[in-house]
Structures are given as C-alpha cells and as structure tokens.
C-alpha cells in the first residue's frame, strides 16, 4: 500500500496498467514519463546529430528545462532516458548527475553497438535480439542518422540487414511483412534480408512499393555479405538486426573484415 509506479504516459495501455495494478486503491504514487505535455517527466525541443543521438530539454517536475544530451541513438532511447530520469528523481539523485549519466550511457554488446570502420563505413550491430517493436525503433533510428560521406559529400546510403524474428506465434508472417512495409515508409535505401522469415520482410517492403532493385533476400549470411561488398566504397550506414538465433553478428564481422 505504498510505493511509486513509473509508467509511460504516451502508451495507450497506461490507464489499463493503473486499473489492473489498482494504483489508486493501493495509494501508489504514479509518475508518468513521455513526450506528451501531460507527462511529469518529459522531453521537448528534440534534435538529432548525424549519428541519430538526441539532444532535448529535460523536464523534471521542478518547472524548468535542462538541456540533455543522450549518448545513445533513436527516439526510443529518449523514452528509456526519461524512465531512468524518473527513477533518478524518485531516488533523490541530483539533476546534474542525471544529465551527466545520460550523456555517458553506452550500449551493451550487440545492442545498437555502433562501429565506425577505417574506410568510413558505419555498422550498427543490433543483433542481440529482435521483435516487431524493436525492429521499428531501430529503423526509425537509422532514418534519423543524416550522415554525409567524406568523398562525394552526399547523404550516405541507409542499408538495413534484417533477419528472422522468432517466437511470434501464428501471425509471424504478418509481423515480418509489416516490418518490411515500415522499412520502406521510413525511406530506407537498400533492404537486405536473411532467412525464411526475413524473406517475408522483403515481401512486405515490395508490397509497400519499394523498388525491386533495392530489395535483396538471401537464405544465408554469406550471400548477404557478398551483396554488401558492392556498397562498402560508398561509406553506407548499415543496420544489422535479427533474433539472436540468426547469429547475424557473424555478418557484422564479415562486413567489417572487408572494410
């Protein structure tokens, strides 16, 4: 009958969580975080650098914004940062320490781990795991990375290498096709898929209108690596993501060994 519940105020299921958890009846203090103006802990004036890392005004319930820099890329990590900030406030951590921690946070191995190769190729190793939501978040992050190559001063190609997502049940084909459609609608330049279900991602992208010569489906990792070699001189940004069992970290190693 006491405590604090920190909830995503932008999530449609937030009222449902309150109801089921009986927060009012149990006198649980609810703290909401998110991007909407109704949240207790929120972010405004968001901007991204060329690597997709966010800067934003962080509001911590004291009525004044503080400029925060996040070392991790993507809008979804802004939400993660807001949740962490809410925990920090609840624990009495000084706001300056919260800002410092956000600026120093690093991704763990194979979770949006960004590697910059000597020839200018950027590889985002996100091969630890995957589900439809994290796939969309990673693709959104990739779209926010407005990088310019050092040779032609053109915006660099955005390439996604996506593989099977496991344990999605009877609607697994639908989920994979939806990810493919999302990839196309987010302005992806080249889509490379690996695996049987990965091929459904490719089909979803094609059905959504992506050009055939921009979509490449492979049954194995070796074929995907061979295809990617054709783009390495253009200094692309390459996102690699799939469920852990696909072992796409070997693709990351293969690509980096050719850079």
């Amino acid at each position: 009958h006491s405590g604090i519940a920190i909830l995503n105020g932008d999530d449609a299921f937030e009222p449902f969580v309150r109801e089921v958890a009986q927060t009012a009846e149990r006198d649980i203090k609810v703290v909401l975080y998110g991007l909407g103006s109704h949240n207790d802990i929120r972010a405004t004036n968001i901007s991204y650098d060329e690597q997709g890392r966010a800067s934003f005004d962080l509001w911590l319930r004291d009525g004044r914004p503080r400029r925060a820099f996040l070392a991790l890329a993507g809008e979804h990590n802004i939400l993660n940062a807001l949740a962490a900030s809410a925990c920090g406030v609840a624990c009495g951590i000084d706001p300056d320490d919260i800002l410092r921690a956000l600026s120093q946070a690093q991704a763990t191995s194979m979770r949006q781990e960004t590697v910059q190769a000597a020839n200018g190729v950027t590889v985002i190793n996100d091969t630890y795991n995957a589900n439809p939501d994290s796939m969309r978040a990673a693709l959104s992050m990739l779209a926010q990375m407005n990088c310019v190559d050092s040779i032609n001063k053109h915006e660099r190609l955005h390439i996604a290498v996506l593989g099977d997502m496991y344990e999605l049940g009877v609607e697994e084909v639908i989920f994979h096709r939806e990810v493919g459609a999302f990839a196309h609608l987010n302005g992806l330049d080249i889509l490379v898929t690996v695996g049987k279900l990965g091929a459904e991602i490719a089909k979803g992208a094609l059905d959504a209108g992506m050009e055939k010569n921009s979509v490449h489906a492979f049954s194995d990792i070796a074929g995907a690596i061979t295809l990617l070699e054709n783009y390495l001189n253009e200094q692309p940004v390459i996102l690699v993501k799939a469920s852990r069992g696909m072992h796409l970290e070997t693709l990351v190693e293969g690509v980096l060994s050719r850079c």
Side-chain angles (χ1 to χ4, degrees), residues 29-46:
K29 179 182 179 182
V30 175
V31 177
L32 299 181
Y33 69 88
L35 304 183
S37 60
H38 64 285
N39 291 294
D40 303 300
I41 308 296
R42 59 194 177 96
T44 60
N45 296 325
I46 299 169

Side-chain angles (χ1 to χ4, degrees), residues 185-257:
L185 294 174
N186 270 259
L188 187 67
D189 295 309
I190 304 294
L191 173 62
V192 181
T193 67
V194 179
K196 182 178 179 181
L197 289 171
E200 299 296 342
I201 297 176
K203 188 177 190 312
L206 291 170
D207 289 347
M210 196 166 184
E211 295 290 336
K212 289 184 178 180
N213 59 1
S214 297
V215 180
H216 309 272
F218 297 93
S219 60
D220 57 28
I221 290 173
I225 293 175
T226 300
L227 183 279
L228 290 170
E229 285 187 84
N230 298 322
Y231 297 101
L232 297 184
N233 288 334
E234 301 179 50
Q235 298 183 341
V237 182
I238 305 173
L239 167 69
V240 186
K241 188 167 181 63
S243 283
R244 188 71 189 88
M246 289 296 292
H247 302 292
L248 286 195
E249 70 275 9
T250 61
L251 182 144
V252 172
E253 295 168 358
V255 168
L256 291 175
S257 70

Side-chain angles (χ1 to χ4, degrees), residues 42-48 53-60 64-72 77-78 81-82 85 95-96 98-104:
R42 59 194 177 96
T44 60
N45 296 325
I46 299 169
S47 61
Y48 297 94
R53 298 173 300 188
S55 297
F56 54 92
D57 289 341
L58 175 63
W59 298 77
L60 297 176
R64 70 181 185 91
R66 297 170 174 84
R67 196 63 183 170
F69 171 76
L70 189 59
L72 303 171
N77 275 320
I78 297 176
L82 293 176
S85 299
D96 288 340
I98 291 174
L99 293 175
R100 188 178 305 110
L102 295 181
S103 70
Q104 296 173 353

Side-chain angles (χ1 to χ4, degrees), residues 126-222:
D126 199 1
T127 58
Y128 185 83
N129 214 340
N131 58 55
D133 285 341
S134 68
M135 280 281 201
R136 284 189 284 268
L139 288 164
S140 295
M141 176 199 69
L142 180 63
Q144 292 158 357
M145 297 177 69
N146 297 318
C147 306
V148 176
D149 71 68
S150 61
I151 301 173
N152 301 311
K153 305 303 179 183
H154 295 154
E155 185 172 343
R156 295 161 66 183
L157 285 175
H158 287 179
I159 301 175
V161 183
L162 308 179
D164 297 7
M165 298 177 286
Y166 294 156
E167 301 176 356
L168 295 183
V170 296
E171 295 186 330
E172 61 182 8
V173 170
I174 294 174
F175 288 137
H176 282 80
R177 291 183 182 177
E178 287 176 348
V179 166
F182 186 87
H184 170 58
L185 294 174
N186 270 259
L188 187 67
D189 295 309
I190 304 294
L191 173 62
V192 181
T193 67
V194 179
K196 182 178 179 181
L197 289 171
E200 299 296 342
I201 297 176
K203 188 177 190 312
L206 291 170
D207 289 347
M210 196 166 184
E211 295 290 336
K212 289 184 178 180
N213 59 1
S214 297
V215 180
H216 309 272
F218 297 93
S219 60
D220 57 28
I221 290 173

